[in-house]
Amino acid sequence: STSAMTWTATKITTWGIIGDATPAGWGASTPLAFNAVDGTWTITVDLIGTKYLKFRANNDWAINFGDNSPVDNKPDYGGSDILIANSGNYTITLDIGIAGNYSYTIRRN
């Protein structure tokens, strides 16, 4: 608040994927693992095709990423659901290490 000269911050301790393309559906996040070497969050997981996912922090909707059209593999706060075109095993990487230069990859294995 600029009038009260105060600010708040949310500590992010986890990232996960959620959506009908993911193992837990829209009911719960599937956790990503943090890679301390390169600062990314990753998972290798089976996904369901023609369904969607999003990234979310702390198992809560307060901080979530989608990707607005046109899809550019740069996560957008509160952005659109991300389509998984085909069922299969995927490696997903979320790179939020450099502020303003966020990216993600969803690679079919």
Side-chain angles (χ1 to χ4, degrees), residues 5-67:
M5 299 298 288
T6 60
W7 63 275
T8 61
T10 300
K11 182 177 181 179
I12 296 175
T13 57
T14 64
W15 278 99
I17 54 172
I18 190 166
D20 53 4
T22 69
W26 288 108
S29 295
T30 302
L32 281 71
F34 181 66
N35 181 331
V37 174
D38 65 8
T40 61
W41 295 82
T42 62
I43 188 172
T44 298
V45 63
D46 292 332
L47 299 176
I48 302 168
T50 66
K51 303 288 183 177
Y52 296 88
L53 66 77
K54 292 186 89 167
F55 297 96
R56 73 177 187 168
N58 300 336
N59 297 308
D60 187 66
W61 287 107
I63 301 172
N64 73 85
F65 290 142
D67 195 349

